[in-house]
Amino acid sequence: MDHRGTKLLTFAALTLAVTAASAAPKENRGLSALAWLEPRGALQALSNEPDRRLHVRSSENPAATDDPGSTKRRWQQISAGEILFHTPILLGGQAAKAGISCASCHVNGRDNAHFQFPGVSHDPGTADVTHSFFSSFRGDDHFNPVSIPDLTRPGKISHENPEELEKFIRGLIVEEFDGQEPGNAALTALAAYVRALRPCDGCSPRPLIMTTHLGRVKQALSAAVQIEASEQRLSHLLIGGARTQLSLIHERYADKKLARERTAITKLSVDLATLQDNIGVRSARYYQLHRKATDQIQALRKLLADSESRSLYNPERLEAYLEKHAIRQRPTH
């Protein structure tokens, strides 16, 4: 077995210990992103993310008269697509086991100069998109990593050509990552988000803080409820995305003295799983669960904010944690 094969087997064993993206948070086992971040850039990657710029027009025809209703629907699609972009379970296969989402490589739609997946990347910021570890469809038995593209820039696939981007995204999910068919509603939402991405030249990175992840929980729940009646499968994925974000928060509140916070995070995740089970029922219980989850998010925000300085969202604590643990949490090269 060659060196890359040995590293991949090591990593496969590691992924078995990673909490599944849609599961309730369990006892902390470290920061999952360390499995695919190069150690020297981990602090930067876990402390900041590129600012994001989104734009939408009310019609695919630039000359069309603005329709407020159409614009609102497009923003709803963009919001749902952004959550799916951060949801590992959408990709399925080994990516979901490792907690890797579209956003792991394309942070806020950009590239990721610190992404370095063992055996699949060469230099930081690269990935072999035809590697058999992720794909049984596109694996070509050659190690040929390429630079991760910035999705806000023109690429080989037109963002404007109707259906071309949707077809491309579907191929990435189903063929590049062995994921399940995402469905038309999910593809439409993802394509809407990618089309809305805009460059942000000169923008400073923004801090990656607790409200970054908790804000996505709220966004996911709102998007799921808005489309629940007509698109139950997409709604289920979105709530799964909310639970993924809760898992990321849970990882950061690792101090033993933050047990109360971790318990509250887990409780909300479990309640969201119950909400998932009631999608499509349209019963009084469904609405009761939705209101309860909304109230929990508000209460959780205050609880977490009061102790955020003691969590791994605090850059100084994060740096100390990485110095102590980072190298031991990923296979060596």
Side-chain angles (χ1 to χ4, degrees), residues 184-253:
N184 290 334
L187 285 177
T188 298
L190 282 163
Y193 172 66
V194 173
R195 287 190 175 106
L197 291 167
R198 292 295 182 271
C200 192
D201 296 329
C203 291
S204 300
R206 62 183 187 182
L208 182 56
I209 55 180
M210 178 271 296
T211 52
T212 304
H213 292 139
L214 192 62
R216 288 177 186 143
V217 175
K218 185 177 180 180
Q219 179 180 342
L221 181 61
S222 176
V225 171
Q226 287 172 357
I227 55 87
E228 184 270 342
S230 58
E231 298 293 348
Q232 296 176 22
R233 183 178 177 187
L234 175 56
S235 182
H236 197 281
L237 273 173
L238 290 168
I239 295 177
R243 301 182 71 204
T244 294
Q245 296 300 308
L246 286 174
S247 291
L248 297 179
I249 299 172
H250 190 273
E251 292 178 354
R252 300 279 187 138
Y253 282 74

Coordinates of all heavy atoms in Angstrom, one line a residue, residues 184-253:
N184 N -34.9 18.8 -6.8 CA -35.0 20.0 -7.5 C -35.0 21.3 -6.6 O -34.3 22.3 -6.9 CB -36.2 20.1 -8.4 CG -36.0 19.1 -9.6 OD1 -34.9 18.8 -10.0 ND2 -37.2 18.7 -10.1
A185 N -35.7 21.2 -5.5 CA -35.8 22.4 -4.6 C -34.4 22.7 -4.0 O -34.0 23.9 -3.9 CB -36.8 22.1 -3.5
A186 N -33.7 21.7 -3.6 CA -32.4 21.9 -3.0 C -31.4 22.4 -4.1 O -30.6 23.4 -3.8 CB -31.8 20.6 -2.4
L187 N -31.4 21.9 -5.3 CA -30.6 22.4 -6.3 C -30.9 23.8 -6.7 O -30.0 24.6 -6.9 CB -30.7 21.5 -7.6 CG -30.1 20.1 -7.5 CD1 -30.4 19.4 -8.8 CD2 -28.6 20.2 -7.3
T188 N -32.2 24.2 -6.7 CA -32.6 25.5 -7.0 C -32.0 26.5 -6.0 O -31.5 27.6 -6.3 CB -34.1 25.6 -7.1 OG1 -34.6 24.8 -8.2 CG2 -34.5 27.1 -7.4
A189 N -32.1 26.1 -4.7 CA -31.7 26.9 -3.6 C -30.2 27.1 -3.6 O -29.6 28.2 -3.5 CB -32.1 26.3 -2.3
L190 N -29.4 26.0 -3.8 CA -28.0 26.1 -3.9 C -27.5 27.0 -5.1 O -26.6 27.8 -4.9 CB -27.4 24.7 -4.0 CG -27.3 23.9 -2.8 CD1 -27.1 22.4 -3.1 CD2 -26.2 24.4 -1.9
A191 N -28.1 26.8 -6.2 CA -27.8 27.6 -7.4 C -28.1 29.1 -7.1 O -27.3 29.9 -7.6 CB -28.5 27.1 -8.6
A192 N -29.2 29.3 -6.5 CA -29.5 30.7 -6.2 C -28.5 31.4 -5.3 O -28.1 32.5 -5.5 CB -30.9 30.8 -5.5
Y193 N -28.0 30.6 -4.3 CA -27.0 31.1 -3.4 C -25.7 31.4 -4.2 O -25.1 32.5 -4.1 CB -26.7 30.2 -2.3 CG -25.5 30.5 -1.4 CD1 -25.5 31.7 -0.6 CD2 -24.4 29.7 -1.4 CE1 -24.4 32.0 0.2 CE2 -23.3 30.0 -0.6 CZ -23.3 31.2 0.2 OH -22.2 31.5 0.9
V194 N -25.2 30.4 -5.0 CA -24.0 30.6 -5.7 C -24.1 31.8 -6.7 O -23.2 32.6 -6.9 CB -23.6 29.3 -6.5 CG1 -22.4 29.5 -7.4 CG2 -23.3 28.2 -5.5
R195 N -25.3 31.9 -7.4 CA -25.4 33.0 -8.3 C -25.4 34.4 -7.6 O -25.1 35.4 -8.2 CB -26.8 32.9 -9.1 CG -26.7 31.8 -10.1 CD -28.0 31.8 -11.0 NE -27.9 30.8 -12.1 CZ -28.5 29.7 -12.1 NH1 -29.4 29.4 -11.1 NH2 -28.4 28.8 -13.1
A196 N -25.8 34.4 -6.3 CA -25.9 35.6 -5.6 C -24.5 36.1 -5.0 O -24.4 37.2 -4.6 CB -26.9 35.5 -4.4
L197 N -23.6 35.2 -5.0 CA -22.3 35.5 -4.4 C -21.6 36.6 -5.3 O -21.6 36.6 -6.5 CB -21.4 34.3 -4.4 CG -21.7 33.2 -3.4 CD1 -21.0 31.9 -3.7 CD2 -21.5 33.6 -2.0
R198 N -21.0 37.6 -4.6 CA -20.2 38.6 -5.2 C -18.9 38.8 -4.6 O -18.7 38.6 -3.4 CB -21.0 39.9 -5.1 CG -22.3 40.0 -5.9 CD -22.1 39.9 -7.4 NE -23.3 40.0 -8.2 CZ -24.1 38.9 -8.5 NH1 -23.7 37.7 -8.1 NH2 -25.2 39.1 -9.2
P199 N -17.9 39.2 -5.4 CA -16.5 39.4 -4.9 C -16.6 40.6 -3.9 O -17.5 41.4 -3.9 CB -15.7 39.8 -6.1 CG -16.5 39.4 -7.3 CD -17.9 39.4 -6.9
C200 N -15.6 40.5 -3.0 CA -15.5 41.6 -2.0 C -14.1 42.0 -1.8 O -13.4 41.9 -0.8 CB -16.0 41.1 -0.6 SG -16.3 42.4 0.6
D201 N -13.5 42.6 -2.9 CA -12.1 43.0 -3.0 C -11.9 44.1 -1.9 O -12.6 45.1 -1.8 CB -11.8 43.5 -4.4 CG -11.9 42.4 -5.4 OD1 -11.6 41.3 -5.1 OD2 -12.2 42.7 -6.6
G202 N -10.8 43.9 -1.1 CA -10.5 44.9 -0.1 C -11.2 44.7 1.2 O -11.0 45.5 2.1
C203 N -12.2 43.8 1.2 CA -12.9 43.6 2.5 C -12.0 42.9 3.5 O -11.3 42.0 3.2 CB -14.2 42.8 2.3 SG -15.4 43.6 1.3
S204 N -12.1 43.4 4.7 CA -11.4 42.7 5.8 C -12.1 41.5 6.3 O -13.4 41.4 6.2 CB -11.2 43.7 7.0 OG -10.5 44.8 6.6
P205 N -11.4 40.4 6.7 CA -12.1 39.2 7.3 C -12.9 39.6 8.5 O -12.6 40.6 9.2 CB -10.9 38.3 7.7 CG -9.8 38.8 6.9 CD -9.9 40.3 6.7
R206 N -14.0 38.9 8.7 CA -14.8 39.2 9.9 C -14.6 38.1 10.9 O -14.4 36.9 10.5 CB -16.3 39.3 9.5 CG -16.9 38.0 8.9 CD -18.3 38.3 8.4 NE -19.0 37.1 8.0 CZ -20.3 37.0 7.6 NH1 -20.9 38.2 7.5 NH2 -20.8 35.9 7.2
P207 N -14.7 38.4 12.2 CA -14.5 37.4 13.2 C -15.5 36.3 13.1 O -16.7 36.5 12.8 CB -14.6 38.2 14.5 CG -14.5 39.7 14.1 CD -15.0 39.8 12.7
L208 N -15.0 35.1 13.4 CA -15.9 33.9 13.5 C -16.3 33.8 14.9 O -15.4 33.3 15.7 CB -15.2 32.7 12.9 CG -16.0 31.4 12.9 CD1 -17.3 31.5 12.1 CD2 -15.1 30.3 12.3
I209 N -17.5 34.1 15.3 CA -17.9 34.1 16.7 C -19.1 33.3 16.9 O -19.7 32.7 15.9 CB -18.1 35.6 17.2 CG1 -19.1 36.3 16.3 CG2 -16.8 36.4 17.2 CD1 -19.5 37.7 16.6
M210 N -19.5 33.2 18.1 CA -20.7 32.3 18.5 C -21.9 32.7 17.7 O -22.6 31.8 17.1 CB -21.0 32.4 20.0 CG -22.2 31.6 20.4 SD -23.7 32.5 20.3 CE -23.5 33.8 21.5
T211 N -22.2 34.0 17.5 CA -23.4 34.4 16.8 C -23.3 34.1 15.3 O -24.3 34.1 14.6 CB -23.7 35.9 17.0 OG1 -22.5 36.7 16.7 CG2 -24.1 36.2 18.5
T212 N -22.1 33.9 14.8 CA -22.0 33.4 13.4 C -22.7 32.1 13.2 O -23.5 31.9 12.3 CB -20.5 33.3 13.0 OG1 -19.8 34.5 13.2 CG2 -20.4 32.9 11.5
H213 N -22.4 31.1 14.1 CA -23.0 29.8 14.0 C -24.5 29.8 14.5 O -25.3 29.2 13.8 CB -22.2 28.8 14.8 CG -20.8 28.5 14.2 ND1 -19.7 28.4 15.0 CD2 -20.4 28.4 12.9 CE1 -18.7 28.2 14.2 NE2 -19.1 28.2 12.9
L214 N -24.7 30.5 15.6 CA -26.1 30.5 16.1 C -27.0 31.3 15.1 O -28.2 30.9 15.0 CB -26.2 31.1 17.5 CG -27.5 30.9 18.2 CD1 -27.8 29.4 18.4 CD2 -27.5 31.7 19.6
G215 N -26.5 32.3 14.4 CA -27.3 33.0 13.4 C -27.7 32.1 12.3 O -28.8 32.2 11.8
R216 N -26.8 31.1 12.0 CA -27.2 30.2 10.9 C -28.2 29.2 11.4 O -29.0 28.7 10.6 CB -25.9 29.5 10.4 CG -25.0 30.4 9.6 CD -23.8 29.7 9.1 NE -22.9 30.6 8.5 CZ -21.6 30.6 8.6 NH1 -21.0 29.7 9.3 NH2 -20.8 31.5 7.9
V217 N -28.2 28.9 12.7 CA -29.3 28.0 13.3 C -30.6 28.7 13.1 O -31.6 28.1 12.6 CB -29.0 27.8 14.8 CG1 -30.2 27.0 15.4 CG2 -27.7 27.0 14.9
K218 N -30.7 30.0 13.4 CA -32.0 30.7 13.3 C -32.4 30.8 11.8 O -33.5 30.7 11.5 CB -31.8 32.1 13.9 CG -33.1 32.9 13.9 CD -32.8 34.3 14.7 CE -34.1 35.1 14.7 NZ -33.9 36.4 15.4
Q219 N -31.4 31.1 11.0 CA -31.7 31.2 9.5 C -32.2 29.9 9.0 O -33.1 29.9 8.2 CB -30.4 31.6 8.8 CG -30.5 31.8 7.3 CD -29.2 32.1 6.7 OE1 -28.2 32.6 7.4 NE2 -29.0 31.9 5.4
A220 N -31.6 28.8 9.4 CA -32.0 27.5 8.9 C -33.4 27.2 9.3 O -34.3 26.7 8.5 CB -31.1 26.4 9.4
L221 N -33.8 27.5 10.6 CA -35.1 27.2 11.1 C -36.1 28.0 10.4 O -37.2 27.5 10.0 CB -35.1 27.4 12.6 CG -36.5 27.1 13.3 CD1 -36.8 25.7 13.2 CD2 -36.4 27.5 14.8
S222 N -35.8 29.3 10.2 CA -36.7 30.2 9.5 C -37.0 29.7 8.1 O -38.1 29.6 7.6 CB -36.2 31.6 9.5 OG -37.0 32.5 8.7
A223 N -35.9 29.3 7.4 CA -36.0 28.9 6.0 C -36.8 27.6 5.9 O -37.6 27.4 5.0 CB -34.7 28.7 5.3
A224 N -36.6 26.7 6.9 CA -37.3 25.4 6.9 C -38.8 25.6 7.1 O -39.6 24.9 6.4 CB -36.7 24.5 8.0
V225 N -39.1 26.5 7.9 CA -40.6 26.7 8.2 C -41.3 27.3 7.0 O -42.4 27.0 6.7 CB -40.7 27.5 9.5 CG1 -42.2 27.9 9.7 CG2 -40.3 26.7 10.7
Q226 N -40.6 28.2 6.4 CA -41.2 29.0 5.2 C -41.5 28.0 4.1 O -42.5 28.2 3.4 CB -40.2 30.0 4.7 CG -40.1 31.2 5.6 CD -39.0 32.2 5.2 OE1 -38.3 31.9 4.2 NE2 -38.8 33.3 5.9
I227 N -40.7 27.0 3.9 CA -41.0 26.1 2.8 C -41.5 24.7 3.2 O -41.7 23.8 2.3 CB -39.7 25.9 1.9 CG1 -38.5 25.4 2.8 CG2 -39.3 27.2 1.3 CD1 -38.4 24.0 2.9
E228 N -41.8 24.5 4.5 CA -42.1 23.2 5.0 C -43.3 22.5 4.3 O -43.2 21.3 3.9 CB -42.4 23.3 6.5 CG -42.6 21.9 7.2 CD -44.1 21.5 7.2 OE1 -44.9 22.4 6.9 OE2 -44.4 20.4 7.3
A229 N -44.3 23.3 4.0 CA -45.5 22.6 3.5 C -45.3 22.1 2.0 O -45.8 21.0 1.7 CB -46.7 23.7 3.4
S230 N -44.5 22.8 1.2 CA -44.4 22.5 -0.2 C -43.1 21.6 -0.4 O -43.1 20.8 -1.4 CB -44.3 23.7 -1.1 OG -43.3 24.5 -0.7
E231 N -42.1 21.7 0.4 CA -40.8 21.0 0.1 C -40.4 20.4 1.4 O -39.4 20.9 2.1 CB -39.8 22.0 -0.4 CG -40.2 22.7 -1.7 CD -40.2 21.6 -2.9 OE1 -39.7 20.5 -2.7 OE2 -40.7 22.0 -4.0
Q232 N -41.0 19.3 1.8 CA -40.7 18.6 3.0 C -39.2 18.1 3.1 O -38.6 18.2 4.1 CB -41.7 17.5 3.3 CG -43.1 18.0 3.5 CD -44.1 16.9 3.6 OE1 -43.7 15.8 4.0 NE2 -45.4 17.2 3.3
R233 N -38.7 17.6 2.0 CA -37.4 17.0 2.0 C -36.3 18.1 2.2 O -35.4 18.0 3.0 CB -37.1 16.3 0.7 CG -35.8 15.6 0.6 CD -35.6 14.9 -0.7 NE -34.3 14.3 -0.9 CZ -33.8 13.8 -2.0 NH1 -34.6 13.7 -3.1 NH2 -32.6 13.3 -2.1
L234 N -36.5 19.3 1.5 CA -35.6 20.4 1.7 C -35.7 20.9 3.1 O -34.7 21.2 3.8 CB -36.0 21.5 0.7 CG -35.2 22.8 0.9 CD1 -33.7 22.5 0.8 CD2 -35.6 23.8 -0.2
S235 N -36.9 21.0 3.7 CA -37.1 21.4 5.1 C -36.3 20.5 6.0 O -35.7 21.0 7.0 CB -38.6 21.4 5.4 OG -38.8 21.9 6.7
H236 N -36.4 19.2 5.8 CA -35.7 18.3 6.6 C -34.1 18.5 6.6 O -33.4 18.5 7.6 CB -36.0 16.9 6.2 CG -35.6 15.8 7.2 ND1 -34.4 15.3 7.4 CD2 -36.4 15.1 8.1 CE1 -34.4 14.4 8.3 NE2 -35.6 14.2 8.7
L237 N -33.6 18.8 5.4 CA -32.2 19.1 5.2 C -31.8 20.4 5.9 O -30.7 20.4 6.6 CB -31.9 19.2 3.7 CG -31.5 18.0 2.9 CD1 -31.4 18.3 1.5 CD2 -30.2 17.3 3.4
L238 N -32.7 21.4 5.9 CA -32.4 22.6 6.5 C -32.3 22.5 8.0 O -31.4 23.1 8.7 CB -33.4 23.7 6.1 CG -33.3 24.1 4.6 CD1 -34.6 24.9 4.3 CD2 -32.1 25.0 4.4
I239 N -33.2 21.8 8.6 CA -33.1 21.6 10.0 C -31.9 20.7 10.4 O -31.2 21.0 11.4 CB -34.4 20.9 10.6 CG1 -35.6 21.9 10.3 CG2 -34.3 20.6 12.1 CD1 -36.9 21.3 10.8
G240 N -31.5 19.8 9.5 CA -30.3 19.1 9.7 C -29.1 20.1 9.7 O -28.1 19.9 10.5
G241 N -29.2 21.1 8.8 CA -28.1 22.1 8.8 C -28.1 22.9 10.1 O -27.0 23.3 10.5
A242 N -29.2 23.2 10.7 CA -29.3 23.9 11.9 C -28.6 23.1 13.0 O -27.8 23.6 13.8 CB -30.7 24.2 12.3
R243 N -28.8 21.8 13.0 CA -28.1 20.9 14.0 C -26.6 20.8 13.8 O -25.9 20.7 14.8 CB -28.8 19.5 14.0 CG -30.3 19.6 14.3 CD -30.9 18.2 14.3 NE -30.5 17.5 15.4 CZ -30.5 16.2 15.5 NH1 -30.8 15.4 14.5 NH2 -30.1 15.6 16.6
T244 N -26.2 20.9 12.5 CA -24.8 20.9 12.3 C -24.1 22.2 12.9 O -23.1 22.1 13.6 CB -24.5 21.0 10.8 OG1 -24.9 19.8 10.1 CG2 -23.0 21.2 10.4
Q245 N -24.8 23.3 12.8 CA -24.2 24.5 13.4 C -24.2 24.5 14.9 O -23.3 24.9 15.5 CB -25.1 25.7 12.9 CG -25.0 26.0 11.4 CD -23.6 26.3 10.9 OE1 -22.9 27.1 11.4 NE2 -23.2 25.6 9.9
L246 N -25.2 23.8 15.5 CA -25.2 23.6 16.9 C -24.0 22.7 17.3 O -23.4 23.0 18.4 CB -26.5 23.0 17.4 CG -27.7 23.9 17.4 CD1 -29.0 23.1 17.7 CD2 -27.5 25.1 18.4
S247 N -23.7 21.7 16.5 CA -22.5 20.9 16.9 C -21.3 21.7 16.8 O -20.4 21.5 17.7 CB -22.4 19.7 15.8 OG -23.5 18.8 16.0
L248 N -21.1 22.6 15.9 CA -19.9 23.5 15.9 C -19.8 24.4 17.1 O -18.7 24.6 17.6 CB -20.0 24.3 14.6 CG -19.9 23.6 13.3 CD1 -20.0 24.5 12.1 CD2 -18.7 22.7 13.2
I249 N -21.0 24.9 17.6 CA -20.9 25.6 18.8 C -20.6 24.8 20.0 O -19.8 25.1 20.8 CB -22.3 26.3 19.1 CG1 -22.7 27.2 17.9 CG2 -22.3 27.1 20.4 CD1 -24.1 27.7 18.0
H250 N -21.1 23.6 20.0 CA -20.9 22.6 21.1 C -19.4 22.3 21.2 O -18.8 22.3 22.4 CB -21.6 21.3 20.9 CG -21.7 20.4 22.0 ND1 -20.7 19.4 22.2 CD2 -22.5 20.2 23.0 CE1 -21.0 18.7 23.2 NE2 -22.1 19.1 23.8
E251 N -18.7 22.2 20.1 CA -17.2 22.0 20.1 C -16.5 23.1 20.8 O -15.4 22.9 21.4 CB -16.7 21.9 18.7 CG -17.2 20.7 17.9 CD -16.7 20.7 16.5 OE1 -16.0 21.7 16.0 OE2 -16.9 19.7 15.8
R252 N -17.0 24.3 20.6 CA -16.2 25.5 21.1 C -16.4 25.6 22.6 O -15.6 26.3 23.3 CB -16.7 26.7 20.4 CG -16.5 26.7 18.9 CD -15.1 27.1 18.5 NE -15.0 27.3 17.1 CZ -14.3 28.2 16.5 NH1 -13.7 29.1 17.2 NH2 -14.2 28.3 15.2
Y253 N -17.5 25.1 23.2 CA -17.8 25.2 24.6 C -17.2 24.0 25.3 O -18.0 23.2 25.9 CB -19.2 25.5 24.9 CG -19.6 26.9 24.6 CD1 -19.7 27.4 23.3 CD2 -19.8 27.8 25.6 CE1 -20.0 28.7 23.0 CE2 -20.1 29.2 25.4 CZ -20.2 29.6 24.0 OH -20.5 30.9 23.8

